[in-house]
Amino acid sequence: MTDGRPHLAVIGAGPAGLAATVAAAADGVRVTLIDSAARAGGQFYRQPATELNAGRPQALHHQWRTWERLRDALAQHVEAGHVRVLTDHHVWLVERRLNRRPGDADRNSFTVHALLGPAQESPVEVRADAVLLATGGYEKILPFPGWTVPGVLTAGGAQAMLKGTLAVSGRTAVVAGTGPLLLPVATGLAAAGVEVAALVESADPKAFLRRTRALAAQPGKVAEGAQYAAQLLRHRVKVLTRHTVVEAHGDERLEAVTVAALDTDGRVRPGTERRIACDTLAVGHGMLPHTDLAETLGCRLDGLDVHVDDEQRTDVPGVWAAGETTGIGGAALSLAEGHIAGRSAAARLNGNEPDPRTWAPAAKSRTRLREFFAALDTVYAPPARWTDLVTDDTVVCRCEEVTGGAIREAVDGLGAGDVRTVKLLTRAGMGWCQGRMCGPAVAGLAGCQLTPSRRPFARPVPLGVLARAGGAEPESESEAEPE
């Protein structure tokens, strides 16, 4: 793939990365698609392992035909030599260089540094003329008493287990938290034979009545929600709105959860507690964008989201971004943004001025979906007083075993007023995950805004790899075609 055509590296093989790759390759750019998973698809299109011989994998998905079109288009570009797919490549840094040549215009070049395989010890470098970040998002974790008991997992974790391994973590489940992800998780578990004892949603359904304009603009999304509601009814799943999980019970294994109703201020209403027996709790409170690579490149952020223009360009020349990394908005929005980013990147790499008319339908969809999810964000917010449930004994940072009491002491007793100071005083966020899991909780308990951490690398890197940096094998020959 060194035929002289410009080279685009796309990082992330979820909906945004796939759409971008197909669009850019169709416009004459050679593309290397890099992903940490064993197969392309991301979390949304996660597939069961081939060895499981799943007879009907489409039963675990909606928008299956969209996946098939992307998969087939990607395979055709791979066969034609326009695209190379590198799976099991864990990107930890993207370096940008500005090449200056006398009499020549300045040109960007990028080196994508990755760790190869499950052990993540073999360094690989991919060099490209431009980079498109489609790194997705990760779940927001909010602690409560008992959340570390085995059997408690994130809503996305439960979904990934079911999609990727065709397995479930127990026979009786409670799905709780807030956000649209709870619906496919609950219905997916129920369809797999799990008894879903309750879906516990902290949001107030009446809040949707104040968002009728945004809902009316997306009838497909409304219909999708109605389908989930019908499935919940068919599986006799009890739905508790304006409720939250107060505590998870169990020693070696989850045995039950206590849930309670919330008042209009987000406080637990005394006397409404009820205990529900279960061996699995799938809990989620929304998602946050993955921005580590964008931050190391110096890309501007809008709050926690990567800032992009109408072409999905960041403010760093040669870097595009699409999907959840620019703001959480689901697969359909990611597909639209990925298509726009791929077309724009291809045009500019080929030395042309992009024509927005070539992506007009995607741009129209992007506008409507952004408005829709902005409205959802105001509805699906964690309870305003969720920190009241975090006792002094509740572990907040699992890596360093820092409790809620230690964080409160750092704030109230030692004067910490931001996440960084709390980290220095308590070690919260200094562990393996580098605050990805506990960051929102620490910020909430400290009473401050969650801000980007400005990590130097996107993932832990062995010292030996750092010592050999620059001497890695360029343009890895390890390829995996989409299945």
Side-chain angles (χ1 to χ4, degrees):
M1 290 183 62
T2 55
D3 55 7
R5 289 179 297 163
H7 182 201
L8 174 68
V10 177
I11 303 173
L18 289 169
T21 297
V22 170
D27 284 352
V29 171
R30 60 189 179 100
V31 183
T32 297
L33 177 61
I34 308 167
D35 196 81
S36 60
R39 304 170 70 179
Q43 168 70 354
F44 190 77
Y45 296 125
R46 184 184 292 268
Q47 305 293 304
T50 306
E51 295 77 10
L52 295 176
N53 296 316
R56 295 179 61 249
Q58 63 271 27
L60 302 173
H61 297 264
H62 64 285
Q63 299 182 9
W64 181 258
R65 291 183 179 177
T66 302
W67 156 247
E68 289 182 319
R69 288 195 294 269
L70 285 169
R71 178 196 63 193
D72 294 346
L74 182 65
Q76 291 172 6
H77 286 301
V78 169
E79 184 177 358
H82 303 153
V83 173
R84 180 174 51 164
V85 181
L86 303 180
T87 54
D88 270 331
H89 282 60
H90 306 262
V91 178
W92 56 274
L93 180 67
V94 179
E95 281 187 291
R96 171 177 173 255
R97 292 186 176 88
L98 190 61
N99 299 326
R100 299 181 182 275
R101 295 180 181 178
D104 247 356
D106 293 343
R107 297 189 61 182
N108 293 293
S109 67
F110 297 85
T111 301
V112 179
H113 296 271
L115 301 173
L116 177 61
Q120 300 184 36
E121 292 181 351
S122 301
V124 175
E125 292 180 0
V126 176
R127 300 191 178 108
D129 302 303
V131 170
L132 197 156
L133 303 174
T135 47
Y138 61 101
E139 288 190 86
K140 181 192 296 182
I141 309 296
L142 300 180
F144 52 88
W147 75 290
T148 58
V149 172
V152 180
L153 66 166
T154 66
Q159 187 182 57
M161 182 185 298
L162 182 58
K163 285 183 176 181
T165 68
L166 305 181
V168 294
S169 65
R171 297 182 178 181
T172 305
V174 169
V175 179
T178 189
L181 179 61
L182 301 187
L183 293 172
V185 171
T187 54
L189 290 174
V194 176
E195 178 188 352
V196 180
L199 191 161
V200 183
E201 169 61 68
S202 64
D204 184 354
K206 294 179 182 178
F208 286 105
L209 299 178
R210 298 188 294 271
R211 308 290 184 272
T212 53
R213 179 181 175 183
L215 294 176
Q218 290 294 324
K221 289 292 183 182
V222 175
E224 184 180 316
Q227 291 175 357
Y228 283 129
Q231 293 178 52
L232 293 173
L233 186 63
R234 184 167 65 252
H235 290 290
R236 299 181 180 180
V237 177
K238 182 184 298 184
V239 178
L240 302 174
T241 57
R242 289 182 61 184
H243 279 67
T244 191
V245 172
V246 174
E247 186 174 359
H249 309 280
D251 294 320
E252 295 183 359
R253 176 74 190 184
L254 180 68
E255 299 172 0
V257 298
T258 294
V259 303
L262 297 167
D263 65 18
T264 55
D265 294 324
R267 294 185 176 90
V268 169
R269 290 167 50 195
T272 63
E273 296 85 354
R274 67 174 80 179
R275 189 180 176 108
I276 303 176
C278 60
D279 56 15
T280 297
L281 171 62
V283 60
H285 290 93
M287 297 184 66
L288 298 169
H290 265 303
T291 61
D292 292 344
L293 293 175
E295 291 173 45
T296 59
L297 281 164
C299 299
R300 169 185 160 192
L301 301 184
D302 289 335
L304 298 175
D305 306 332
V306 177
H307 172 83
V308 292
D309 64 10
D310 289 343
E311 295 182 30
Q312 298 296 139
R313 291 182 299 173
T314 72
D315 61 344
V316 175
V319 180
W320 282 254
E324 309 281 37
T325 192
T326 68
I328 304 303
L333 178 56
S334 294
L335 289 169
E337 291 187 354
H339 178 80
I340 294 168
R343 299 297 298 265
S344 168
R348 293 194 176 277
L349 283 172
N350 284 320
N352 302 319
E353 186 69 22
D355 183 358
R357 291 175 297 181
T358 63
W359 62 69
K364 184 176 180 180
S365 177
R366 176 181 62 183
T367 298
R368 290 181 174 178
L369 285 167
R370 283 179 176 174
E371 292 176 352
F372 176 77
F373 281 97
L376 285 193
D377 284 345
T378 64
V379 175
Y380 288 124
R385 301 304 294 265
W386 67 265
T387 55
D388 293 350
L389 300 176
V390 181
T391 66
D392 286 348
D393 294 332
T394 302
V395 172
V396 175
C397 173
R398 299 181 71 164
C399 296
E400 297 293 327
E401 298 184 349
V402 180
T403 64
I407 294 171
R408 290 190 174 104
E409 172 60 22
V411 175
D412 300 332
L414 300 176
D418 57 70
V419 173
R420 183 177 183 277
T421 305
V422 172
K423 177 179 180 178
L424 293 174
L425 293 172
T426 67
R427 295 190 61 82
M430 287 191 179
W432 182 258
C433 82
Q434 287 292 287
R436 290 172 178 82
M437 289 187 64
C438 68
V442 173
L445 288 170
C448 62
Q449 291 291 324
L450 180 64
T451 56
S453 298
R454 305 293 181 186
R455 304 177 184 96
F457 305 133
R459 62 176 60 246
V461 185
L463 289 176
V465 170
L466 293 178
R468 299 193 302 272
E473 190 68 26
E475 295 285 351
S476 166
E477 297 180 356
S478 173
E479 297 187 13
E481 295 189 7
E483 300 180 43

